[in-house]
Amino acid sequence: MRLLTHNMLASNIKGVTNGFPLRIEVEKAIEKQVDFNPEFLKNMFTKIHWKALVDASRIMGFAELPEEADSSMLESDDFLRNFHHALLELHLEEGALVCPETGRRFPVNKGIPNMLLHEDEV
Amino acid sequence: MKLKQLESLLGDLEQFSNPKVELEQYPTGPHIASRMLYTAESSYGDVSGKVVADFGCGCGTLGAAAALLGAEHVIGIDVDPESLEIASLNAEDLELDIDYIQCDLRNLGWRGQVVDTVVMNPPFGTRKKGADMDFLCVALKVATQAVYSLHKTSTRDHVRRAALRDFNASSAEVLCELRYDVPQLYKFHKKREVDIAVDLWRFVPKK
């Protein structure tokens, strides 16, 4: 699972008011190279929750993203390449996503998070 | 990529080995899947360079088609772990990078307006009434640009009304009518194969 997917996914357990961002527990992270597409990144920048991406990428062992970012940084090739790497090339392969409010763990196996809720959580 | 080439690549994908009737698992054939995504790309530019989600992805045919047509990020969501395993292998075979999530779409927790396009072949709601409408409701909340979906032609008026009145669609258009051949997968199927008429819809969510 890429961090772009993590940037959208939230815990939706009954009663939880803010299930985003899910905390990441890493057992195994992998990297897969993909083509660099600056236009796509510029378009995504305004839609991304920046802090969630920065925190997630750090947990995954990549600390090159600045704590705060604004659109002027999109002029920098270095910035775009780091943004690209964090958003699209880092994958959580094994581990868990944890609901920030309840601490409920959603396991991630073979890169697939299991977000199924129990009967009493719906 | 040409339509023929797309259809042929999709034709090689693994499909359900033990389809589950309660989930109304019917494979999306390569003919329909290729036309659906090809139309979305060539007529509307809704695929290439976009974030595309495949709802109820099953073995992942529509998502794979989106990735083959140049979608930048594809997410397949399904409740059934066996389907997701097949979908993952299918993506691997085609060397496509696709994210999968196991989730009941009705309980999907989602932030923000990041997905451009949702594509789906939802359960038609024959076994579980309203299942297709549940999918459509969530799809129109998640997509920012367009939703492509298949629904039985016999439900056309109902689908249009629900989309425009209840589900936040600003437009709902039937792009074409297709024959969906349902092979004899389940015991309750009396005929070897039946053709049902389905509509390919394009919905646009309100901004």
Side-chain angles (χ1 to χ4, degrees):
Chain A
M1 185 195 64
R2 291 171 171 177
L3 296 189
L4 173 49
T5 296
H6 170 262
N7 212 274
M8 297 184 250
L9 205 52
S11 157
N12 199 21
I13 299 168
K14 187 179 166 192
V16 166
T17 53
N18 193 5
F20 181 88
L22 294 156
R23 205 171 69 239
I24 296 178
E25 287 180 6
V26 187
E27 277 169 40
K28 185 181 170 197
I30 55 171
E31 293 183 17
K32 292 186 205 167
Q33 273 194 357
V34 286
D35 291 342
F36 179 59
N37 180 349
E39 282 316 303
F40 176 75
L41 295 167
K42 286 174 187 168
N43 179 33
M44 287 311 289
F45 180 74
T46 51
K47 302 176 179 176
I48 289 296
H49 189 292
W50 188 256
K51 186 166 179 353
L53 180 65
V54 173
D55 292 349
S57 61
R58 288 206 178 139
I59 289 170
M60 301 276 280
F62 182 69
E64 302 298 319
L65 292 182
E67 198 71 46
E68 310 228 338
D70 62 68
S71 55
S72 69
M73 295 178 177
L74 296 170
E75 305 298 318
S76 150
D77 194 57
D78 278 354
F79 174 81
L80 281 178
R81 292 208 177 259
N82 287 334
F83 181 29
H84 167 79
H85 183 66
L87 196 67
L88 301 172
E89 295 189 323
L90 297 176
H91 293 251
L92 179 64
E93 188 70 1
E94 300 289 334
L97 302 174
V98 182
C99 171
E101 243 181 71
T102 63
R104 152 82 141 91
R105 293 174 84 252
F106 297 96
V108 178
N109 298 116
K110 293 185 190 162
I112 304 176
N114 177 354
M115 304 303 293
L116 289 184
L117 298 178
H118 303 136
E119 256 176 52
D120 58 350
E121 294 174 328
V122 177
Chain B
M1 181 175 296
K2 294 210 171 84
L3 177 60
K4 276 255 155 67
Q5 197 185 353
L6 179 65
E7 182 173 350
S8 144
L9 285 169
L10 298 178
D12 293 336
L13 298 180
E14 269 322 296
Q15 297 300 337
F16 304 106
S17 45
N18 296 301
K20 299 185 176 71
V21 64
E22 69 278 14
L23 297 175
E24 295 192 49
Q25 291 180 334
Y26 295 96
T28 315
H31 179 84
I32 286 188
S34 57
R35 270 145 195 84
M36 197 166 164
L37 271 295
Y38 196 81
T39 304
E41 174 58 15
S42 60
S43 303
Y44 300 95
D46 283 333
V47 181
S48 171
K50 305 292 179 192
V51 177
V52 177
D54 178 359
F55 276 12
C57 65
C59 301
T61 311
L62 293 175
L68 286 166
L69 291 176
E72 189 74 25
H73 182 67
V74 180
I75 307 158
I77 305 178
D78 206 285
V79 72
D80 176 37
E82 287 166 43
S83 296
L84 290 170
E85 202 166 322
I86 300 173
S88 292
L89 293 174
N90 279 334
E92 219 169 279
D93 280 350
L94 289 171
E95 297 181 348
L96 301 172
D97 203 353
I98 296 178
D99 275 2
Y100 294 101
I101 300 169
Q102 188 185 356
C103 183
D104 183 334
L105 271 167
R106 291 167 303 174
N107 308 325
L108 180 68
W110 208 250
R111 176 203 75 87
Q113 307 260 298
V114 187
V115 170
D116 297 297
T117 307
V118 171
V119 294
M120 60 184 190
N121 175 15
F124 288 145
T126 314
R127 307 287 294 180
K128 195 167 166 193
K129 212 168 154 29
D132 56 338
M133 291 295 109
D134 289 345
F135 272 56
L136 185 57
C137 176
V138 180
L140 278 163
K141 284 181 189 155
V142 166
T144 55
Q145 200 160 317
V147 174
Y148 293 85
S149 183
L150 299 168
H151 299 271
K152 279 160 96 170
T153 302
S154 59
T155 62
R156 190 178 291 180
D157 292 343
H158 172 64
V159 170
R160 187 189 308 280
R161 206 164 40 235
L164 294 173
R165 193 189 57 195
D166 306 328
F167 299 156
N168 201 36
S170 67
S171 78
E173 191 189 346
V174 174
L175 301 181
C176 62
E177 201 178 302
L178 297 157
R179 311 302 300 180
Y180 194 102
D181 63 324
V182 179
Q184 189 180 30
L185 287 179
Y186 301 118
K187 282 203 186 111
F188 66 86
H189 286 157
K190 294 193 182 73
K191 292 185 190 154
R192 276 178 63 82
E193 227 172 63
V194 275
D195 260 5
I196 50 169
V198 295
D199 292 337
L200 169 57
W201 286 86
R202 181 175 189 267
F203 304 93
V204 176
K206 280 187 191 141
K207 294 285 176 220

